[in-house]
Amino acid sequence: MNSEKKISPSLNQPHVDSFPTPPFEKQKQPFPGLANKMIPVPDHGETTYKGSSRLKGRKALITGGDSGIGRAVAIAFAREGADVAINYLPQEESDAQEVVKLLSEEGHKIIALPGDIRTEIFCKTLVEEAAEKLGGLDLLVNNAGRQQFCDSIKDLTTEAFDATFKTNVYALFWITKAALHYLPRGSSIINTSSVQAFLPSDNLLDYSQTKASIVAFTKSLAKQLGPEGIRVNAVAPGPYWTALQISGGQPQEKIEKFGEQAPLGRPGQPAEIAALYVAFASPESSYSSGQVWCSDGGTGTV
Ligand code: NAD
Ligand code: MG
């Protein structure tokens, strides 16, 4: 193999070699973590994502839209012409305000709806408020997630197990159910699963189950909602450089080498996955439903 890197001179946008590679500094934040305190700060496409009106006039609710993959999707959807509402935890207000400032200064409609999605009552209120403030809803991105590593089932408490399932599984059910009241034909629901659904790590026993559950939920619901003209798909990320990982998602020794095992030799940056959500959201993909699209730097897991 030719080890000398020759990048096409016609590539005038970020590409495989444009992003940070390990080793990374060890860094630990309390859950849920802030993107703005990470070293390096994740790239959500703030300075790079260019839209082309693929989602003009659409109305999107994105959970976990303050940081990481959700922030990258919020930026991409807004620059594709959608009005966007983001949900996040109150502790993440500073990350959320960065998104609000960026997108509102560009002239996009961006609504911040903080709150904890681990209760059905809040999930219902969230969807109602989003639909009311956006004037409707036709895109739903279920992206919020909880990942806290635990080496042994013997140490995994019922409280931790429950919090992971409430955030990753129950909230998805509650939010989607509430959203169906508003979603017209042509709507698109996009869930965030993980490669953990297919290749579960030993220390992510609860998390990996929730991500497998999201795959089954996606495929089952796609069958239910096909006759209603609503598509349901999922994106399954591999290692992405986000606050989830440095706030209990991985042990510190894994942070240093994060993404090293991927064939591309590095983790993905949130900016690199937003286009998959745009593709599923866009009516250009009108015959794709019940699909899981993996993005993990080349292992070919799914
Ligand atoms: P992130 O920490 O930036 O985003 C996760 C978000 O979930 C948080 O910003 C937070 O707003 C939200 N959240 C968590 N608990 C919540 C609660 N109780 N109420 C409301 N919001 C809550 O990290 P990310 O990596 O961008 O995560 C986005 C999604 O991607 C998650 O579903 C995660 O499981 C999935 N994922 C991430 C990776 C990765 O390597 N980063 C890999 C596979 C899947
Ligand atoms: Mg966050």
Side-chain angles (χ1 to χ4, degrees), residues 21-59:
T21 51
F24 297 105
E25 276 183 41
K26 283 185 181 171
Q27 51 197 291
K28 179 143 181 53
Q29 293 184 36
F31 175 83
L34 290 172
N36 62 30
K37 289 197 174 150
M38 288 179 70
I39 312 160
V41 170
D43 181 346
H44 307 93
E46 286 90 340
T47 60
T48 49
Y49 192 92
K50 290 185 182 68
S52 53
S53 300
R54 294 173 74 187
L55 305 177
K56 200 165 193 297
R58 305 289 297 275
K59 297 176 187 311

Side-chain angles (χ1 to χ4, degrees), residues 1-2 20 31 47-48 78 85 95 164 216 263 274:
M1 209 184 291
N2 185 357
F31 175 83
T47 60
T48 49
D95 268 355
T164 306

Side-chain angles (χ1 to χ4, degrees), residues 184-301:
R185 290 187 75 82
S187 295
S188 177
I189 300 171
I190 308 162
N191 302 318
T192 304
S193 176
S194 168
V195 291
Q196 287 293 323
F198 308 96
L199 291 174
S201 299
D202 54 355
N203 64 358
L204 293 174
L205 187 76
D206 54 343
Y207 177 83
S208 59
Q209 290 177 74
T210 66
K211 293 295 164 175
S213 166
I214 291 170
V215 170
F217 178 89
T218 300
K219 289 178 179 285
S220 178
L221 195 65
K223 288 178 180 158
Q224 269 192 32
L225 298 184
E228 296 185 32
I230 298 173
R231 297 181 297 110
V232 190
N233 292 287
V235 173
Y240 270 81
W241 185 249
T242 69
L244 183 95
Q245 302 295 358
I246 54 85
S247 61
Q250 300 287 344
Q252 283 297 305
E253 61 274 16
K254 289 208 177 164
I255 295 297
E256 277 182 299
K257 297 179 176 176
F258 193 63
E260 191 181 63
Q261 79 292 354
L264 287 178
R266 62 170 179 82
Q269 292 292 323
E272 299 184 83
I273 202 167
L276 274 55
Y277 290 79
V278 171
F280 274 145
S282 166
E284 291 160 327
S285 307
S286 49
Y287 202 59
S288 296
S289 192
Q291 301 301 311
V292 181
W293 195 345
C294 187
S295 167
D296 71 350
T299 61
T301 301

Side-chain angles (χ1 to χ4, degrees), residues 168-190:
N168 300 4
V169 178
Y170 279 76
L172 193 110
F173 164 60
W174 291 325
I175 291 170
T176 305
K177 197 171 166 182
L180 281 173
H181 182 67
Y182 302 96
L183 299 178
R185 290 187 75 82
S187 295
S188 177
I189 300 171
I190 308 162

Side-chain angles (χ1 to χ4, degrees), residues 107-131:
H108 304 295
K109 184 164 184 173
I110 167 80
I111 292 158
L113 299 171
D116 192 324
I117 58 173
R118 288 177 298 165
T119 65
E120 183 168 14
I121 184 73
F122 176 75
C123 289
K124 277 185 173 170
T125 311
L126 169 66
V127 171
E128 281 165 18
E129 266 197 61

